Amino acid sequence: MPRGGSIVAVTGTTDVNRVEAPVTVRAYLIVAFAAFGGIFFGYDTGWMGGVLNMDYFINQYTHYEYPNIKYPGLASDSQEIKDYRKHFFVVPQWQQSLTTAILSAGTFFGAIIAGDLADFIGRRMTIIAGCGIFVIGGILETASTGLALMVVGRLIAGFGVGFISAIVILYMSEIAPKKVRGAVVAGYQFCITIGILLANCVVYATQSRRDTGSYRIPIAVQFLWAIILATGLFILPESPRYFVKKGKLDLAADALARVRGQPLDSEYIQDELAEIVANHEYEMSIVKQTSYIGSWASCFEGKITSPASNVRRTMLGICMQACQQLTGINFIFYFGPVFFQQLGTIKDPFLIGLVTTLVNVCSTPLSFWMVERIGRRNILIGGAFLMIIFQFIVGAIGATAGKDTPTHPANPNAVKAMIAFICLNIAAFATTWGPAAWIVIGEIFPLTIRSRGVGLSTASNWFWNCIIAVITPYLVADQDKSAKLGSNVFFMWGGLCCLSFMFAYFFVPETKGLTLEQVDKMLEETTPRTSRGWKPHSTFAGDLHLAEKPIEVAIGTEHVAPKV
Ligand code: BGC
């Protein structure tokens, strides 16, 4: 790395096309690696449901005999065994809810705390710390042979996942080149889907073991993700925007040169750095950052009616993630096998569960192209529209030919049609709301509140994720205290997608193809509905007249205050 003791006078540029250095293969590789963090997210949400249904695990938690020992010689689908599994040989509902939801509680707080920490110790170190916390939680989960330790382990591991899920988005958005930022963050979503698939496969492979390996193997596999991510990030550069926020411009220049794959004294690097610094100065002049509490409070400053105000952006991020969860996608992933079983006529509900997970993985890559070509706003509007149609169709078929009652058994073709539309619904989600919700929260915040804004938005995702995990069994299950909505639940999800549709239409701006600093300007000058046509017309460096009052960056020294 070229380093010297020289002072460089950075003047910035007034050319809107020069505010970012050209994209190199190296830049792609760095962000592609960061996307790996998505594997954690997906895997950790994916394994618990399967483990809760494993015979060895149930036996360990309930101390009831295995069904084949209790009823020797009876077929596994005999009525006796079915009843025994329903009433005795099952982890009690409250323990299922607790072990599933405690992860989201950990991630909720983890994401908020990480949003704070990322401004103090840096994005990279926060993610590495998240991996460390996650490993501690994982060790406890693996060692556990009962509820208490498992719950503590899940809570701590959840904390780590909260760190990782929020800050990987922040890190990727800050280092990715604008032209491919959407596509690479969609890569993160792709990794989430792969994580869910891997969890399903590992659980499928170990589920019939009659030893602790049945649940310990799926849990322990996660250590691999932690080691790979932490080691990789140790080598990767810190986000230059973090150093700008800290006023360490020499380190910012160094980090920027590394993520762009350019020499430190390249004009491109100096122009891009100047633009980030000028934008930060401008933001600081609008919202004064005072105390610790004051800096949290600034996330909620300004008028909610103004698209560029901090409060509006924070609410945009929080509601965006709430709407993503309320599309009902996790109903399918968490509750799919049970739901498919209730439809009757399906022989292997787990296999259908695997198919839905595969559809999720295979359709996500299309979004790499769509987010950059069609744009974030349009795919969110279009995706919500498609999900309304598909979910209403599933509900309508279910309410008529698909209903399984003693007098009118479900029509097998109707059930197949329902599954086909559920798969189409997953594909609609995977190409639109899945990636775009994460992309948008990484792009809409100014640097002054970015890490906290992303943390709060991610926390909202986990909050709603948890609510859905806890309430859906009570909405759909065929149990006494359940609302027994059955397939009518799809009318509910379809109705909620109408909200997501309106939210996207009225509140989501188009951010594609802009640098994070240009997004700031666009929000000031447009409304969500007019944002698509906005073109950058000036630079922050130009507006602040850096040509006359350059920023001096001392390369190779500890700290340099900007002279703007
Ligand atoms: C969501 C998760 C969901 C996953 C499915 C993500 O974007 O936030 O809750 O399980 O997509 O692929």
Side-chain angles (χ1 to χ4, degrees), residues 209-243:
R209 288 175 73 117
R210 290 272 166 103
D211 57 25
T212 55
S214 57
Y215 68 95
R216 283 187 169 151
I217 294 173
I219 300 176
V221 164
Q222 307 179 93
F223 295 131
L224 198 64
W225 319 141
I227 292 165
I228 297 176
L229 188 66
T231 315
L233 274 169
F234 205 73
I235 300 163
L236 295 187
E238 176 55 270
S239 158
R241 286 174 166 95
Y242 161 72
F243 285 131

Side-chain angles (χ1 to χ4, degrees), residues 41-42 45-46 188-194 196 321 324-325 329-331 333-334 357 360-361 364 426 429-430 433-438 461-462 465:
F41 184 138
T45 44
Y188 170 81
Q189 170 70 14
F190 185 49
C191 287
I192 296 180
T193 64
I194 292 177
I196 300 176
Q321 291 290 351
Q324 193 219 44
Q325 289 299 305
I329 192 70
N330 285 324
F331 165 77
F333 293 127
Y334 293 164
T357 322
N360 194 25
V361 176
T364 302
I426 295 172
F429 174 89
W433 278 81
W438 294 108
N461 176 291
W462 288 107
N465 190 318

Side-chain angles (χ1 to χ4, degrees), residues 10-12 14 541-551 563-564:
V10 176
T11 54
T14 50
D543 293 351
L544 292 188
H545 306 294
L546 289 198
E548 290 120 57
K549 292 180 285 172
I551 307 165
K563 291 182 190 167
V564 181

Side-chain angles (χ1 to χ4, degrees), residues 12-17 19 275 521 537-544:
T13 175
T14 50
D15 179 352
V16 293
N17 297 316
V19 288
E275 191 60 6
K521 202 159 244 168
H537 49 78
S538 65
T539 64
F540 281 97
D543 293 351
L544 292 188

Side-chain angles (χ1 to χ4, degrees), residues 322-329 380-392 425 428-429 432-433 489-505:
C323 284
Q324 193 219 44
Q325 289 299 305
L326 292 173
T327 57
I329 192 70
L380 286 168
I381 297 173
F385 179 74
L386 287 176
M387 285 190 279
I388 297 171
I389 309 263
F390 295 146
Q391 309 222 49
F392 279 166
N425 182 64
F429 174 89
T432 61
W433 278 81
V489 76
F490 282 96
F491 287 124
M492 186 185 95
W493 300 128
L496 287 167
C497 282
C498 295
L499 281 184
S500 305
F501 176 84
M502 286 191 291
F503 171 76
Y505 182 78

